[in-house]
Short mmCIF file of all heavy atoms in Angstrom, two decimals:
data_model
loop_
_atom_site.label_atom_id
_atom_site.label_comp_id
_atom_site.label_asym_id
_atom_site.label_seq_id
_atom_site.Cartn_x
_atom_site.Cartn_y
_atom_site.Cartn_z
N ILE A 1 22.44 -62.33 -14.58
CA ILE A 1 23.09 -62.43 -15.94
C ILE A 1 23.20 -61.03 -16.46
O ILE A 1 22.26 -60.29 -16.63
CB ILE A 1 22.24 -63.29 -16.88
CG1 ILE A 1 22.04 -64.73 -16.37
CG2 ILE A 1 22.99 -63.37 -18.26
CD1 ILE A 1 21.17 -65.58 -17.25
N GLU A 2 24.43 -60.57 -16.64
CA GLU A 2 24.68 -59.24 -17.22
C GLU A 2 24.81 -59.43 -18.72
O GLU A 2 25.86 -60.05 -19.14
CB GLU A 2 25.93 -58.62 -16.67
CG GLU A 2 25.90 -58.40 -15.13
CD GLU A 2 27.24 -57.91 -14.57
OE1 GLU A 2 28.10 -57.49 -15.44
OE2 GLU A 2 27.43 -58.03 -13.40
N ASP A 3 23.86 -59.00 -19.40
CA ASP A 3 23.82 -59.16 -20.90
C ASP A 3 23.77 -57.83 -21.62
O ASP A 3 22.64 -57.24 -21.78
CB ASP A 3 22.71 -60.06 -21.37
CG ASP A 3 22.82 -60.48 -22.81
OD1 ASP A 3 23.73 -59.98 -23.50
OD2 ASP A 3 22.04 -61.31 -23.29
N PRO A 4 24.92 -57.24 -22.00
CA PRO A 4 24.87 -55.93 -22.66
C PRO A 4 24.13 -55.88 -23.97
O PRO A 4 23.72 -54.84 -24.42
CB PRO A 4 26.34 -55.61 -22.83
CG PRO A 4 27.03 -56.96 -22.91
CD PRO A 4 26.29 -57.81 -22.02
N LYS A 5 23.97 -57.08 -24.58
CA LYS A 5 23.31 -57.07 -25.89
C LYS A 5 21.82 -56.54 -25.73
O LYS A 5 21.32 -55.86 -26.59
CB LYS A 5 23.22 -58.54 -26.42
CG LYS A 5 24.57 -59.07 -26.87
CD LYS A 5 24.43 -60.55 -27.32
CE LYS A 5 25.74 -61.14 -27.79
NZ LYS A 5 26.15 -60.61 -29.12
N LYS A 6 21.18 -56.84 -24.58
CA LYS A 6 19.83 -56.41 -24.36
C LYS A 6 19.77 -54.86 -24.20
O LYS A 6 18.83 -54.28 -24.60
CB LYS A 6 19.26 -57.07 -23.07
CG LYS A 6 19.11 -58.60 -23.26
CD LYS A 6 18.55 -59.18 -21.94
CE LYS A 6 18.35 -60.66 -22.07
NZ LYS A 6 17.82 -61.27 -20.84
N ARG A 7 20.76 -54.27 -23.59
CA ARG A 7 20.76 -52.83 -23.38
C ARG A 7 21.11 -52.08 -24.64
O ARG A 7 20.88 -50.85 -24.69
CB ARG A 7 21.72 -52.52 -22.25
CG ARG A 7 21.29 -52.99 -20.86
CD ARG A 7 22.30 -52.74 -19.78
NE ARG A 7 22.66 -51.31 -19.64
CZ ARG A 7 21.91 -50.47 -18.90
NH1 ARG A 7 20.82 -50.88 -18.38
NH2 ARG A 7 22.38 -49.25 -18.71
N LEU A 8 21.66 -52.75 -25.62
CA LEU A 8 22.09 -52.04 -26.84
C LEU A 8 21.02 -51.83 -27.82
O LEU A 8 21.17 -51.05 -28.79
CB LEU A 8 23.31 -52.78 -27.48
CG LEU A 8 24.60 -52.76 -26.67
CD1 LEU A 8 25.65 -53.67 -27.26
CD2 LEU A 8 25.17 -51.34 -26.54
N GLY A 9 19.91 -52.62 -27.68
CA GLY A 9 18.70 -52.40 -28.42
C GLY A 9 18.97 -52.36 -29.93
O GLY A 9 19.58 -53.15 -30.53
N GLN A 10 18.46 -51.18 -30.57
CA GLN A 10 18.52 -50.98 -31.99
C GLN A 10 19.68 -50.11 -32.47
O GLN A 10 19.73 -49.72 -33.62
CB GLN A 10 17.20 -50.37 -32.46
CG GLN A 10 16.00 -51.22 -32.28
CD GLN A 10 16.10 -52.59 -32.96
OE1 GLN A 10 16.39 -52.69 -34.15
NE2 GLN A 10 15.98 -53.69 -32.20
N LEU A 11 20.69 -49.89 -31.55
CA LEU A 11 21.83 -49.14 -31.98
C LEU A 11 22.53 -49.90 -33.09
O LEU A 11 22.83 -51.05 -33.01
CB LEU A 11 22.77 -48.90 -30.76
CG LEU A 11 22.19 -48.23 -29.57
CD1 LEU A 11 23.33 -48.10 -28.54
CD2 LEU A 11 21.66 -46.87 -29.97
N SER A 12 22.90 -49.19 -34.24
CA SER A 12 23.41 -49.92 -35.41
C SER A 12 24.54 -49.19 -36.00
O SER A 12 24.94 -48.02 -35.65
CB SER A 12 22.25 -50.13 -36.39
OG SER A 12 21.78 -48.82 -36.80
N VAL A 13 25.16 -49.84 -36.94
CA VAL A 13 26.36 -49.33 -37.64
C VAL A 13 26.01 -48.33 -38.67
O VAL A 13 25.03 -48.50 -39.51
CB VAL A 13 27.15 -50.48 -38.28
CG1 VAL A 13 28.37 -49.91 -39.03
CG2 VAL A 13 27.61 -51.50 -37.21
N GLY A 14 26.70 -47.20 -38.70
CA GLY A 14 26.52 -46.20 -39.76
C GLY A 14 27.85 -45.79 -40.35
O GLY A 14 28.90 -46.22 -39.86
N GLU A 15 27.77 -45.03 -41.42
CA GLU A 15 29.06 -44.58 -42.08
C GLU A 15 28.95 -43.06 -42.30
O GLU A 15 27.95 -42.58 -42.90
CB GLU A 15 29.27 -45.28 -43.38
CG GLU A 15 30.53 -44.81 -44.12
CD GLU A 15 30.78 -45.53 -45.44
OE1 GLU A 15 29.96 -46.34 -45.84
OE2 GLU A 15 31.85 -45.27 -46.07
N ILE A 16 29.97 -42.33 -41.91
CA ILE A 16 29.97 -40.90 -42.12
C ILE A 16 30.33 -40.63 -43.53
O ILE A 16 31.47 -41.00 -44.02
CB ILE A 16 30.93 -40.17 -41.14
CG1 ILE A 16 30.53 -40.43 -39.74
CG2 ILE A 16 31.00 -38.69 -41.45
CD1 ILE A 16 31.61 -39.91 -38.66
N LEU A 17 29.46 -39.95 -44.34
CA LEU A 17 29.70 -39.63 -45.73
C LEU A 17 30.47 -38.31 -45.86
O LEU A 17 31.41 -38.22 -46.64
CB LEU A 17 28.40 -39.67 -46.47
CG LEU A 17 27.63 -41.00 -46.42
CD1 LEU A 17 26.33 -40.83 -47.23
CD2 LEU A 17 28.42 -42.16 -47.05
N THR A 18 29.94 -37.29 -45.18
CA THR A 18 30.58 -35.96 -45.26
C THR A 18 30.65 -35.32 -43.93
O THR A 18 29.80 -35.59 -43.02
CB THR A 18 29.77 -35.02 -46.22
OG1 THR A 18 28.43 -34.87 -45.70
CG2 THR A 18 29.66 -35.63 -47.62
N VAL A 19 31.61 -34.45 -43.70
CA VAL A 19 31.73 -33.60 -42.49
C VAL A 19 31.82 -32.17 -42.87
O VAL A 19 32.78 -31.78 -43.59
CB VAL A 19 32.93 -34.12 -41.71
CG1 VAL A 19 33.10 -33.30 -40.39
CG2 VAL A 19 32.82 -35.57 -41.35
N GLU A 20 30.92 -31.34 -42.33
CA GLU A 20 30.97 -29.89 -42.62
C GLU A 20 30.98 -29.12 -41.31
O GLU A 20 30.44 -29.59 -40.29
CB GLU A 20 29.70 -29.47 -43.49
CG GLU A 20 29.55 -30.22 -44.77
CD GLU A 20 30.62 -29.76 -45.78
OE1 GLU A 20 31.20 -28.74 -45.61
OE2 GLU A 20 30.87 -30.56 -46.78
N LYS A 21 31.56 -27.94 -41.33
CA LYS A 21 31.56 -27.15 -40.10
C LYS A 21 30.13 -26.67 -39.87
O LYS A 21 29.40 -26.29 -40.76
CB LYS A 21 32.47 -25.95 -40.36
CG LYS A 21 32.65 -25.05 -39.11
CD LYS A 21 33.63 -23.93 -39.49
CE LYS A 21 33.76 -22.97 -38.35
NZ LYS A 21 32.50 -22.33 -37.87
N HIS A 22 29.81 -26.64 -38.51
CA HIS A 22 28.49 -26.16 -38.16
C HIS A 22 28.47 -24.60 -38.39
O HIS A 22 29.39 -23.88 -38.07
CB HIS A 22 28.35 -26.46 -36.72
CG HIS A 22 26.88 -26.24 -36.17
ND1 HIS A 22 26.31 -25.00 -36.10
CD2 HIS A 22 25.94 -27.11 -35.77
CE1 HIS A 22 25.06 -25.14 -35.62
NE2 HIS A 22 24.81 -26.42 -35.47
N PRO A 23 27.39 -24.12 -39.01
CA PRO A 23 27.35 -22.70 -39.34
C PRO A 23 27.32 -21.75 -38.13
O PRO A 23 27.63 -20.57 -38.28
CB PRO A 23 26.02 -22.58 -40.16
CG PRO A 23 25.21 -23.71 -39.77
CD PRO A 23 26.20 -24.81 -39.48
N ASN A 24 26.87 -22.30 -36.95
CA ASN A 24 26.68 -21.43 -35.81
C ASN A 24 27.46 -21.82 -34.53
O ASN A 24 27.28 -21.37 -33.48
CB ASN A 24 25.19 -21.37 -35.43
CG ASN A 24 24.27 -20.95 -36.60
OD1 ASN A 24 24.61 -20.06 -37.31
ND2 ASN A 24 23.21 -21.68 -36.77
N ALA A 25 28.46 -22.72 -34.76
CA ALA A 25 29.30 -23.15 -33.69
C ALA A 25 30.66 -23.63 -34.11
O ALA A 25 30.79 -24.51 -35.02
CB ALA A 25 28.56 -24.35 -32.89
N ASP A 26 31.73 -23.13 -33.52
CA ASP A 26 33.06 -23.35 -33.98
C ASP A 26 33.48 -24.85 -33.74
O ASP A 26 34.24 -25.45 -34.41
CB ASP A 26 34.08 -22.48 -33.30
CG ASP A 26 33.92 -21.04 -33.79
OD1 ASP A 26 33.33 -20.86 -34.94
OD2 ASP A 26 34.36 -20.08 -33.06
N LYS A 27 33.00 -25.42 -32.60
CA LYS A 27 33.47 -26.75 -32.15
C LYS A 27 32.50 -27.88 -32.63
O LYS A 27 32.77 -29.03 -32.29
CB LYS A 27 33.60 -26.79 -30.64
CG LYS A 27 34.69 -25.84 -30.13
CD LYS A 27 34.89 -25.96 -28.62
CE LYS A 27 36.02 -25.08 -28.11
NZ LYS A 27 36.19 -25.21 -26.66
N LEU A 28 31.50 -27.57 -33.38
CA LEU A 28 30.55 -28.60 -33.81
C LEU A 28 30.71 -28.82 -35.33
O LEU A 28 31.08 -27.98 -36.07
CB LEU A 28 29.16 -28.22 -33.49
CG LEU A 28 28.79 -28.04 -31.99
CD1 LEU A 28 27.37 -27.63 -31.84
CD2 LEU A 28 29.06 -29.33 -31.19
N LYS A 29 30.36 -30.06 -35.67
CA LYS A 29 30.39 -30.46 -37.09
C LYS A 29 28.94 -30.97 -37.50
O LYS A 29 28.24 -31.50 -36.64
CB LYS A 29 31.37 -31.59 -37.35
CG LYS A 29 32.79 -31.19 -37.01
CD LYS A 29 33.39 -30.28 -37.98
CE LYS A 29 34.92 -30.20 -37.80
NZ LYS A 29 35.35 -29.79 -36.47
N VAL A 30 28.59 -30.80 -38.73
CA VAL A 30 27.36 -31.41 -39.27
C VAL A 30 27.79 -32.53 -40.21
O VAL A 30 28.43 -32.33 -41.15
CB VAL A 30 26.55 -30.36 -39.98
CG1 VAL A 30 25.22 -31.00 -40.49
CG2 VAL A 30 26.15 -29.19 -39.07
N CYS A 31 27.32 -33.73 -39.75
CA CYS A 31 27.72 -34.89 -40.50
C CYS A 31 26.55 -35.54 -41.30
O CYS A 31 25.46 -35.64 -40.79
CB CYS A 31 28.26 -36.00 -39.59
SG CYS A 31 29.63 -35.39 -38.59
N GLU A 32 26.85 -35.87 -42.55
CA GLU A 32 25.84 -36.63 -43.31
C GLU A 32 26.22 -38.18 -43.13
O GLU A 32 27.39 -38.53 -43.40
CB GLU A 32 25.99 -36.23 -44.80
CG GLU A 32 24.85 -36.83 -45.63
CD GLU A 32 25.00 -36.28 -47.05
OE1 GLU A 32 26.03 -36.66 -47.71
OE2 GLU A 32 24.09 -35.58 -47.56
N VAL A 33 25.24 -38.87 -42.54
CA VAL A 33 25.54 -40.27 -42.12
C VAL A 33 24.61 -41.26 -42.81
O VAL A 33 23.41 -41.09 -42.78
CB VAL A 33 25.45 -40.36 -40.62
CG1 VAL A 33 25.75 -41.84 -40.15
CG2 VAL A 33 26.37 -39.41 -39.87
N LYS A 34 25.22 -42.27 -43.43
CA LYS A 34 24.42 -43.39 -43.94
C LYS A 34 24.12 -44.31 -42.84
O LYS A 34 24.96 -44.86 -42.16
CB LYS A 34 25.28 -44.12 -45.04
CG LYS A 34 24.51 -45.23 -45.75
CD LYS A 34 25.38 -45.86 -46.74
CE LYS A 34 24.63 -46.98 -47.49
NZ LYS A 34 25.48 -47.66 -48.48
N SER A 35 22.79 -44.53 -42.58
CA SER A 35 22.36 -45.36 -41.49
C SER A 35 21.44 -46.54 -41.99
O SER A 35 21.20 -46.60 -43.22
CB SER A 35 21.59 -44.53 -40.50
OG SER A 35 20.31 -44.15 -40.96
N SER A 36 20.90 -47.24 -41.02
CA SER A 36 20.02 -48.38 -41.43
C SER A 36 18.72 -47.92 -42.01
O SER A 36 18.06 -48.76 -42.70
CB SER A 36 19.72 -49.22 -40.18
OG SER A 36 19.14 -48.44 -39.18
N THR A 37 18.37 -46.61 -41.78
CA THR A 37 17.09 -46.13 -42.34
C THR A 37 17.31 -45.08 -43.41
O THR A 37 16.33 -44.38 -43.79
CB THR A 37 16.33 -45.50 -41.18
OG1 THR A 37 17.12 -44.46 -40.53
CG2 THR A 37 15.85 -46.48 -40.16
N GLY A 38 18.52 -44.96 -43.88
CA GLY A 38 18.80 -43.98 -44.94
C GLY A 38 19.80 -42.96 -44.52
O GLY A 38 20.48 -43.11 -43.45
N ILE A 39 19.91 -41.89 -45.32
CA ILE A 39 21.01 -40.87 -45.01
C ILE A 39 20.33 -39.82 -44.09
O ILE A 39 19.22 -39.32 -44.38
CB ILE A 39 21.40 -40.26 -46.30
CG1 ILE A 39 22.22 -41.33 -47.12
CG2 ILE A 39 22.42 -39.04 -46.03
CD1 ILE A 39 22.65 -40.86 -48.48
N ILE A 40 21.02 -39.51 -42.97
CA ILE A 40 20.55 -38.57 -41.99
C ILE A 40 21.63 -37.56 -41.59
O ILE A 40 22.78 -37.80 -41.90
CB ILE A 40 20.08 -39.34 -40.67
CG1 ILE A 40 21.25 -40.12 -40.05
CG2 ILE A 40 18.93 -40.20 -40.97
CD1 ILE A 40 20.93 -40.81 -38.73
#
């Protein structure tokens, strides 16, 4: 029985609140994300 639900564990839905340029990398962004445990 292939059940992907079991492999997905605690992965959950979040929402990106803000997107800022990474101070030390041109291709990276620093995102403020609302998650199941708060803002991270």
Side-chain angles (χ1 to χ4, degrees):
I1 302 176
E2 299 173 15
D3 189 352
K5 290 176 180 286
K6 293 180 180 179
R7 291 174 61 80
L8 293 171
Q10 296 303 305
L11 302 181
S12 60
V13 177
E15 181 181 2
I16 300 174
L17 301 178
T18 62
V19 178
E20 302 289 341
K21 184 180 178 301
H22 192 291
N24 304 317
D26 291 338
K27 294 183 179 180
L28 298 179
K29 302 286 194 304
V30 180
C31 303
E32 191 176 62
V33 180
K34 183 180 180 182
S35 73
S36 59
T37 56
I39 296 175
I40 58 176

